[in-house]
C-alpha cells in the first residue's frame, strides 16, 4: 500500500514537471512574456543569467525575440524525477540561420519553477 502512495506521488510530480516545461516553452514560442509570472516563482533563480525573479526571464526572452524574431524552441526530451526536470530542446530560427541544442534542468515547487541551470551547444549554421 505504501508503495502505491509513493508511486502515485512520484507520477504526480513527473506530470507536474512535464506540464511546467511544456508551459515554459509554449509561452516562449507564443512570445508571451507575461506568462513568466505564472510559470516562475517570485524567488526564482537562473544560474545561466545569474539573476533572480521571474522578471529576469521576461527580460531574457524579450532580448532573444528582439535579436531573433523567428526563434522557436522544440522540446525533444524530458526526464523528470520528484521535483526536478531535465530537458533537451532544439532552437531554430536564429537570424543567421543557425540552430542550437539547449540542455536545461530546473527544480519546482507549488507549480512554479524555482531554480534553473542551462547549457547551449554552439549554434551551427545550416547549409
Amino acid at each position: 500500500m505504501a508503495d502505491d502512495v509513493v508511486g502515485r506521488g512520484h507520477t504526480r510530480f513527473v506530470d507536474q514537471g512535464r506540464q511546467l516545461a511544456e508551459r515554459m516553452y509554449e509561452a516562449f514560442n507564443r512570445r508571451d512574456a507575461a506568462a513568466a509570472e505564472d510559470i516562475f516563482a517570485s524567488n526564482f533563480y537562473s544560474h545561466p543569467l545569474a539573476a533572480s525573479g521571474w522578471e529576469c526571464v521576461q527580460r531574457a526572452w524579450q532580448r532573444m525575440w528582439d535579436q531573433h524574431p523567428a526563434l522557436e524552441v522544440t522540446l525533444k526530451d524530458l526526464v523528470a524525477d520528484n521535483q526536478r526536470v531535465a530537458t533537451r530542446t532544439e532552437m531554430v530560427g536564429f537570424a543567421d540561420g543557425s540552430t542550437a541544442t539547449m540542455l536545461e534542468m530546473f527544480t519546482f515547487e507549488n507549480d512554479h519553477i524555482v531554480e534553473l541551470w542551462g547549457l547551449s551547444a554552439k549554434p551551427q549554421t545550416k547549409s
Side-chain angles (χ1 to χ4, degrees), residues 15 26 28 45 61 78 86 90 94 107:
D15 291 344
E26 288 169 1
F28 181 88
Y45 185 77
W61 285 2
L78 181 143
E90 180 182 42
F94 285 98
T107 58

Side-chain angles (χ1 to χ4, degrees), residues 28-108:
F28 181 88
N29 289 340
R30 283 192 321 268
R31 308 301 192 253
D32 185 1
E37 186 175 1
D38 294 327
I39 297 168
F40 297 90
S42 59
N43 64 337
F44 168 74
Y45 185 77
S46 170
H47 291 271
L49 299 174
S52 298
W54 53 263
E55 301 91 346
C56 75
V57 175
Q58 287 182 320
R59 290 188 300 271
W61 285 2
Q62 192 61 57
R63 279 192 306 272
M64 292 179 77
W65 298 330
D66 290 347
Q67 294 172 7
H68 310 283
L71 190 61
E72 289 192 1
V73 177
T74 302
L75 180 60
K76 296 293 189 175
D77 291 304
L78 181 143
V79 178
D81 182 23
N82 295 324
Q83 292 179 295
R84 290 182 309 244
V85 175
T87 63
R88 179 180 65 91
T89 58
E90 180 182 42
M91 300 176 75
V92 298
F94 285 98
D96 65 0
S98 64
T99 63
T101 297
M102 183 169 53
L103 302 174
E104 293 183 301
M105 179 180 281
F106 62 82
T107 58
F108 63 94

